[in-house]
Amino acid sequence: MAKKKVVMILLEGPSDAAALWKYFKNFFSDDKVVIKTLYTDITSQKGVYPNTIKAKIGHKINDELRRSKLNKLDLMSVIHVVDLDGAFIPDTAIKLDETADAFIYEDDGIHYKDVNTVVSRNIQKKQNIETLYKNTSGICGGVIYHVYYMSCNLEHVLHNLRQVAAEDKERLAYEFAARYEEDLPGFLRYMRESEFSVCSNYLGSWEFITKDLRSLQRYTNIGLCFAN
């Protein structure tokens, strides 16, 4: 029997893994699926910029290969899912709110007590994401890598909720995992054919989401991961 190829899924947090891992495993049932939870938004992490982002992701891939006792030659592809968090909105849509101790994502923009902090975060995150989706070569010695988005974040796409308390994230993730527990086709329809699905083509889906306020609005191109 031929050895199974490996699909590695990079996810930002445990709620992403709880909500999605089963669907990835079921869809890629003919291959070995490895889920790597990063426990961070690597695209806005301190010290990570366009000249280091690919190396940083390569280190994460190699760490998981070692942990899973796999070889890079076993890798068929790497799928990386990121939250956009409004990173591509114009600076004019960043609103001063002196009472906001955390970023608040609304239809009209991002509200926070320090506008410059949001501007700096957005520049870093935007530049890193552009580096990843515009040129996927050079990651971990040339593995097949693609990055996909949830906008504004995971709960926004899966539950139409932008602001979710930390204590509610796990509950919502398991609710979604159970929604299509025995219905992979239903999950695929939800991701590919909903009004928020941006599944024309890979680069086109990124060109779409980077315009205007769309990175704050409810969209995802993750359905492209599950193309037949």
Side-chain angles (χ1 to χ4, degrees), residues 22-55:
K22 177 169 41 178
Y23 301 120
F24 279 112
K25 285 180 180 288
N26 288 346
F27 182 79
F28 294 106
S29 58
D30 292 336
D31 306 297
K32 179 179 174 65
V33 175
V34 174
I35 302 291
K36 171 69 171 176
T37 304
L38 301 175
Y39 295 99
T40 186
D41 170 12
I42 199 169
T43 63
S44 62
Q45 194 175 42
K46 185 177 180 180
V48 178
Y49 297 102
N51 63 335
T52 59
I53 183 70
K54 290 185 177 182

Side-chain angles (χ1 to χ4, degrees), residues 4-5 12 33 51-54 66 75 82-83 91 95 99 119 132 144 178 191 195 200 221 227:
K4 286 188 174 183
K5 281 291 190 178
E12 288 189 355
V33 175
N51 63 335
T52 59
I53 183 70
K54 290 185 177 182
R66 284 191 291 270
L75 268 181
V82 298
D83 292 346
D91 291 350
K95 313 291 185 180
T99 67
V119 170
L132 296 177
I144 296 174
M191 286 304 184
E195 61 183 11
S200 53
N221 65 349

